[in-house]
Amino acid sequence: MMAQPMPDIASRVYNHTFKLDPIVRSLLDTDVYKLLMLQTIWKERADVPVTFSLINRTTSVRVADEVDETLLREQLDHARSLTLSKQERIWLAGNTFYGKERLFSAEFLKWLKSYQLPAYELTTRDGQYEITFEGSWADVTLWEIPVLSIISELRSRAAMQAIGRFELDVLYARAKSKLWEKVLRLEKLPELRIADFGTRRRHSFLWQKWCIAAMKEGLDEKFIGTSNVLLASQLDLEAIGTNAHELPMVEAACAADDKALLHSPYEVLKMWQRTYDGNLLIVLPDTYGTNTYLQHAPDWVADWSGFRIDSKEPIAGGHELIAWWKSRGVDPKSKLLIFSDGLTVDKIEQVYHEFHGQVRLSFGWGTHLTNDFRDCAPRQNDALRAISLVCKVTHANGKPTVKLSDNFHKATGPQSAIDHYRKVFDQKPVDEGSVEV
């Protein structure tokens, strides 16, 4: 797809109409890891019945008071109307991902050709939207990113309704300057590898596109791509992504007994490995606690390309994995560590300096890249602040799903199920950090 010019964002925000600025304008306006996971799900577990649910972890923000329900339904219904265009299908079939041609099989793309997002249920309770998506796993899973980006942008639009044209110009000028200062700091890290992971909580689609283009110009080859498939195609970038907690959460719900439950995270890796290899063999170890995961991991897990550290404190998590590789006789310098949880520039610099030279490093930069408007519009500061909104699989195979996480604040599921999983996985209490976005 051809690169497109950058729009005047302030003018578009001031003049925007629904037809001009739908929030989700393509099924490819999603993170590539969702498509990678979908292909595995489609091959291995397509018909498992699941429920995905919207969860606002920033409970102090009453989203339903900020976002008009009619506008929300219009945007959700518009997303449901989308199918892949012929050009998009050709791009998916012919593009190179992770150095591989035809990463998506012809059979999978044939199924995806007529795919549309399924129906949703939407109600409100105590100032929060309750949105659920029920159906077969392969049909439902792609709702996660669109619903999050829709609500995030609707919050932004609502916050800016009362802002005049000139103040909008100043707001975006401040935000651009703020981002560019971050870029200049990151540019000083000589062997940095960083990608955009900011789709789900972005300020807006147009702002995410501007941020990615700025990163591409300011960091050159240090900026290795974006998780957003549509923007990767439009800006001639690599689509970067791996896998998420959703896979082990559903596999755990399908486990027949506690022994199968304990070993279910490694069954996920076997499934993944039947489809992908090379740099896509990235382990996400924290769904049920990193310590237990490493303790029970089969030897062949050490042969995978690397790990993504999510909920564990990054310095502690990095040293734990380096020690684990060494205990397995593996040189950490040959392995990749990806950091992606709540990254600020300060944290990126800290982690980089801590591990540079010890291991291959990569960063997935999310909300603090694509939705950091703090102090850019003092009168709307709180309304423009990003919140920790997630869309998680909450039921699968007729059971509630559970994520324990290394940060107990991020645990999801009924408390009785969480307690049972903690017993099975022998998860000990840890220092609980605040949930960053």
Side-chain angles (χ1 to χ4, degrees):
M1 299 183 184
M2 297 294 291
Q4 300 176 3
M6 290 292 107
D8 178 354
I9 301 177
S11 294
R12 286 283 287 271
V13 169
Y14 186 78
N15 297 317
H16 79 263
T17 64
F18 176 72
K19 289 183 179 180
L20 182 63
D21 280 331
I23 292 172
V24 176
R25 54 203 70 201
S26 166
L27 284 176
L28 296 189
D29 185 13
T30 191
D31 286 336
V32 70
Y33 81 86
K34 294 299 296 189
L35 295 181
L36 295 171
M37 291 198 303
L38 176 58
Q39 181 167 234
T40 297
I41 293 165
W42 175 79
K43 288 175 61 178
E44 305 273 354
R45 297 284 192 270
D47 296 327
V48 174
V50 300
T51 301
F52 277 70
S53 304
L54 184 74
I55 302 169
N56 179 13
R57 297 190 297 210
T58 310
T59 54
S60 60
V61 174
R62 295 169 59 90
V63 175
D65 293 345
E66 296 181 344
V67 172
D68 180 83
E69 183 176 334
T70 299
L71 295 178
L72 175 57
R73 289 184 181 276
E74 286 178 350
Q75 294 285 355
L76 294 172
D77 291 341
H78 175 75
R80 289 197 64 214
S81 73
L82 298 172
T83 56
L84 289 178
S85 69
K86 181 178 180 180
Q87 184 182 18
E88 290 170 337
R89 297 197 306 271
I90 292 171
W91 186 83
L92 280 177
N95 190 58
T96 299
F97 297 87
Y98 286 87
K100 297 182 180 297
E101 297 180 353
R102 300 180 180 86
L103 186 63
F104 298 106
S105 71
E107 296 78 11
F108 172 66
L109 292 176
K110 182 179 179 180
W111 174 82
L112 196 61
K113 177 180 178 180
S114 58
Y115 175 85
Q116 289 181 275
L117 293 167
Y120 60 89
E121 294 291 332
L122 187 157
T123 59
T124 60
R125 178 184 297 179
D126 297 329
Q128 304 294 345
Y129 283 118
E130 295 186 347
I131 308 178
T132 56
F133 312 94
E134 296 186 8
S136 68
W137 195 7
D139 286 337
V140 171
T141 183
L142 286 189
W143 256 123
E144 177 186 359
I145 306 301
V147 68
L148 294 175
S149 57
I150 284 171
I151 293 177
S152 183
E153 183 160 348
L154 284 176
R155 288 188 69 240
S156 299
R157 290 184 180 186
M160 294 186 295
Q161 274 187 339
I163 301 178
R165 181 187 296 273
F166 290 100
E167 189 174 356
L168 281 171
D169 280 337
V170 173
L171 184 154
Y172 281 104
R174 287 172 173 168
K176 289 177 180 179
S177 178
K178 187 175 186 179
L179 175 59
W180 196 250
E181 290 299 319
K182 296 178 183 180
V183 170
L184 293 178
R185 286 175 62 179
L186 295 175
E187 199 276 331
K188 296 177 182 178
L189 304 178
E191 297 182 35
L192 178 69
R193 291 172 56 84
I194 190 167
D196 157 54
F197 277 16
T199 298
R200 66 183 58 210
R201 298 191 188 108
R202 66 193 182 196
H203 169 79
S204 71
F205 173 82
L206 294 177
W207 179 247
Q208 183 184 17
K209 186 174 184 179
W210 191 94
C211 292
I212 292 171
M215 292 278 285
K216 182 180 180 182
E217 178 178 312
L219 296 179
D220 196 20
E221 62 184 17
K222 296 174 185 176
F223 183 60
I224 60 175
T226 172
S227 63
N228 188 290
V229 186
L230 180 63
L231 291 172
S233 68
Q234 290 183 354
L235 298 173
D236 192 26
L237 289 165
E238 291 286 334
I240 302 292
T242 54
N243 52 71
H245 301 104
E246 171 186 344
L247 294 179
M249 289 170 71
V250 174
E251 186 66 15
C254 294
D257 52 35
D258 285 352
K259 181 178 179 181
L261 174 60
L262 180 62
H263 292 284
S264 63
Y266 316 111
E267 293 303 312
V268 169
L269 300 190
K270 292 177 183 178
M271 286 194 301
W272 190 259
Q273 200 164 233
R274 287 194 284 268
T275 303
Y276 306 113
D277 58 15
N279 287 334
L280 279 168
L281 298 184
I282 301 297
V283 183
L284 180 63
D286 72 316
T287 310
Y288 302 117
T290 298
N291 293 345
T292 300
Y293 190 100
L294 297 178
Q295 178 184 343
H296 294 281
D299 289 341
W300 53 263
V301 176
D303 296 330
W304 275 43
S305 299
F307 281 71
R308 179 165 73 89
I309 296 176
D310 187 61
S311 59
K312 195 148 199 173
E313 194 282 321
I315 302 299
H319 283 299
E320 181 178 18
L321 283 164
I322 287 173
W324 182 80
W325 275 316
K326 288 180 177 178
S327 74
R328 299 299 178 104
V330 174
D331 181 3
K333 292 181 180 179
S334 68
K335 297 299 181 179
L336 177 66
L337 279 184
I338 301 173
F339 296 86
S340 61
D341 183 34
L343 293 180
T344 63
V345 172
D346 289 342
K347 190 176 293 185
I348 292 169
E349 290 174 333
Q350 180 188 16
V351 171
Y352 177 90
H353 291 303
E354 182 74 21
F355 296 112
H356 180 233
Q358 299 185 56
V359 67
R360 294 162 53 212
L361 284 175
S362 185
F363 297 89
W365 199 14
T367 310
H368 288 275
L369 169 63
T370 61
N371 198 357
D372 185 4
F373 281 72
R374 289 169 298 177
D375 303 321
C376 293
R379 289 190 294 174
Q380 267 73 35
N381 197 47
D382 289 340
L384 284 171
R385 189 181 298 273
I387 61 175
S388 183
L389 199 68
V390 296
C391 181
K392 295 290 186 182
V393 57
T394 49
H395 288 81
N397 195 37
K399 302 176 185 176
T401 55
V402 173
K403 186 181 82 162
L404 298 182
S405 179
D406 286 319
N407 180 344
F408 279 15
H409 283 306
K410 287 189 172 183
T412 61
Q415 189 59 51
S416 59
I418 290 174
D419 292 342
H420 178 69
Y421 273 59
R422 284 181 176 157
K423 182 178 180 181
V424 169
F425 288 97
D426 192 28
Q427 190 184 38
K428 300 297 191 296
V430 295
D431 292 333
E432 300 183 44
S434 61
V435 176
E436 300 284 349
V437 295

